[in-house]
Amino acid sequence: MSEQNNSQHTPLYEKHVEADGKMVDFAGWEMPINYGSQVTEHKQVREDAGMFDVSHMVVLDFKGSDVKAFLQKLLANDVAKLKDQGKALYSGMLNHEGGVIDDLIVYYLADDFYRMVVNAATRENDLKWIHSQLQSQTEGYDLQLVERDDLAMIAVQGPNAREKVIKLLKDDDAEKVGALKPFFGIELDELFIARTGYTGEDGFEIIVPNDKAADLWDELLAEGVKPIGLGARDTLRLEAGMNLYGTDMDEGISPLAAGMGWTIAWEPTDRDFIGRKAIEKEKAEGSAMKLVGLVLEDKGVLRGHQKVITEHGEGEITSGTFSPSLGVSIALARIPSAAKDSCHVEIRSKQLKARIVRPPFVRNGKALV
């Protein structure tokens, strides 16, 4: 008897099946790992344009007069930085001990309207945490939180991605989207288009009503934008030096030990965001560990959980893979803060030499290490 499949399907599920996507469970969703060749898909994004179904990610709309004050408490980065309509901010959402509950993007759309995009795997925990913080404030907030399950999301990434998306838009909309700066989003009738991404390439993330997602997918296909699975998404994001929640950080890891120190807004000093006291203490004492990039100099493949050996103690690889763009094995690793230049990685009882580098490894198609 076959096991019952309880995975959820995005509005683009049938499109993945049509394209012979190899479907796997990811955070409770049945998603394509690849459509034939992960390496071919990776190169498609680095050299032309590819699209990812990221509809499993969670869109949350915060509305009300107190939304800014609430998000200034909830997030380690400061939404007060967002002064221009559509501007986006990357931030950690921390627990009281300074651990990362999730990493996310928030957009400023109006003084009383912010949109947040959080990870699929952390949805239940994120919402429970956010609601608990709303309820813990005795004075209460004038705030509505809406989960936008009516929306799908398609990420279009690559050197030719923007040009191919803009060709599908009406003249006025095409002009507005063509002028969009990096890390900005814009509302256009039924679409929300943001110049953000997770690959180290330029492109857009397009939020679209569920019932319009398949048509948009087909229009992009007709422009030569090829579908890309989760496998290539992971090698692309790792080359770009971007963290994956649950792999490179979690609730037991502070942003200082996760390479996210730049996302913490320490000023103004009286903004008492959740987790501030814990990470201020860690910063003052000096974080014992740091997140770095590794490039393997011997033959082998770097994988998560392999032991890293430095002159200042041991660490561990958090994410590792063979880089299709560089032709070598690369990784993100958490190692003692004093370590630099070189280390060894234990692979099958052998200690192989690796170079310690600062991510990213690849950005906009160019090798950086």
Side-chain angles (χ1 to χ4, degrees):
M1 184 181 293
S2 63
E3 291 184 13
Q4 186 176 357
N5 186 344
N6 294 317
S7 293
Q8 300 178 79
H9 291 169
T10 76
L12 293 165
Y13 174 78
E14 295 300 331
K15 293 297 173 185
H16 304 317
V17 174
E18 282 176 24
D20 294 326
K22 182 183 177 184
M23 309 304 285
V24 298
D25 178 81
F26 179 80
W29 294 82
E30 200 166 351
M31 300 294 287
I33 190 76
N34 61 58
Y35 300 87
S37 168
Q38 179 175 321
V39 171
T40 300
E41 291 167 29
H42 179 107
K43 290 183 176 177
Q44 174 71 22
V45 175
R46 286 280 179 251
E47 296 168 6
D48 185 6
M51 59 182 169
F52 309 79
D53 178 9
V54 287
S55 305
H56 57 308
M57 296 188 75
V58 189
V59 180
L60 303 174
D61 284 350
F62 292 78
K63 295 185 178 182
S65 61
D66 293 333
V67 61
K68 179 180 174 181
F70 177 68
L71 293 177
Q72 283 188 292
K73 178 80 173 177
L74 185 73
L75 303 178
N77 213 336
D78 189 0
V79 295
K81 295 177 183 177
L82 304 178
K83 302 187 186 301
D84 297 323
Q85 188 177 35
K87 186 74 177 84
L89 188 75
Y90 175 64
S91 181
M93 179 167 64
L94 312 182
N95 58 27
H96 293 294
E97 293 74 40
V100 182
I101 292 172
D102 201 2
D103 66 323
L104 53 88
I105 292 179
V106 60
Y107 299 88
Y108 164 67
L109 301 179
D111 288 344
D112 59 354
F113 179 18
Y114 290 74
R115 170 166 286 175
M116 185 183 289
V117 180
V118 304
N119 287 302
T122 55
R123 176 182 186 140
E124 189 177 334
N125 197 36
D126 286 3
L127 288 166
K128 184 179 176 182
W129 177 257
I130 292 167
H131 283 298
S132 74
Q133 298 314 307
L134 282 169
Q135 292 160 8
S136 69
Q137 303 302 317
T138 52
E139 71 274 17
Y141 285 102
D142 172 26
L143 180 65
Q144 278 187 310
L145 171 56
V146 182
E147 299 172 48
R148 298 301 305 270
D149 291 335
D150 57 317
L151 299 176
M153 191 176 348
I154 300 172
V156 189
Q157 301 280 295
N160 299 326
R162 291 179 64 244
E163 174 191 340
K164 292 186 176 187
V165 170
I166 289 166
K167 280 176 71 175
L168 301 177
L169 302 173
K170 295 178 291 187
D171 289 346
D172 286 353
D173 289 347
E175 191 174 332
K176 290 174 186 173
V177 171
L180 203 61
K181 295 175 183 175
F183 243 65
F184 271 84
I186 188 170
E187 291 184 283
L188 301 170
D189 297 325
E190 293 184 304
L191 298 180
F192 179 81
I193 300 180
R195 194 174 171 188
T196 53
Y198 193 54
T199 64
E201 297 294 332
D202 204 352
F204 297 122
E205 292 182 306
I206 307 170
I207 295 174
V208 57
N210 287 338
D211 60 355
K212 301 289 194 327
D215 288 343
L216 176 58
W217 188 266
D218 285 342
E219 288 172 12
L220 289 163
L221 274 177
E223 288 295 330
V225 181
K226 303 239 178 112
I228 311 296
L230 291 173
R233 187 168 184 252
D234 194 55
T235 53
L236 288 159
R237 71 91 192 168
L238 186 46
E239 287 186 348
M242 295 183 180
N243 285 1
L244 175 64
Y245 190 85
T247 301
D248 302 303
M249 78 292 205
D250 55 40
E251 287 195 54
I253 301 294
S254 85
L256 298 177
M260 293 173 61
W262 63 276
T263 69
I264 303 164
W266 300 104
E267 302 290 337
T269 54
D270 61 349
R271 185 177 69 93
D272 188 26
F273 61 85
I274 297 166
R276 177 168 192 144
K277 289 183 176 62
I279 58 172
E280 273 185 338
K281 182 173 183 288
E282 181 185 355
K283 185 186 180 191
E285 293 174 351
S287 185
M289 305 294 279
K290 64 182 178 181
L291 193 73
V292 300
L294 300 182
V295 177
L296 189 63
E297 297 190 326
D298 291 327
K299 286 188 177 179
V301 179
L302 300 178
R303 299 291 187 201
H305 305 299
Q306 289 170 343
K307 185 192 294 184
V308 181
I309 301 156
T310 80
E311 291 180 355
H312 298 274
E314 294 181 355
E316 184 179 57
I317 287 178
T318 56
S319 294
T321 193
F322 184 82
S323 163
S325 302
L326 301 175
V328 295
S329 198
I330 61 172
L332 295 176
R334 190 164 291 109
I335 65 173
S337 293
K340 59 182 181 179
D341 299 331
S342 65
C343 62
H344 288 84
V345 180
E346 191 170 276
I347 302 176
R348 295 179 182 171
S349 302
K350 292 181 180 177
Q351 292 189 10
L352 304 185
K353 188 175 181 182
R355 184 160 43 99
I356 299 171
V357 300
R358 183 176 180 178
F361 303 90
V362 178
R363 183 61 57 88
N364 293 321
K366 293 180 181 176
L368 301 179
V369 295

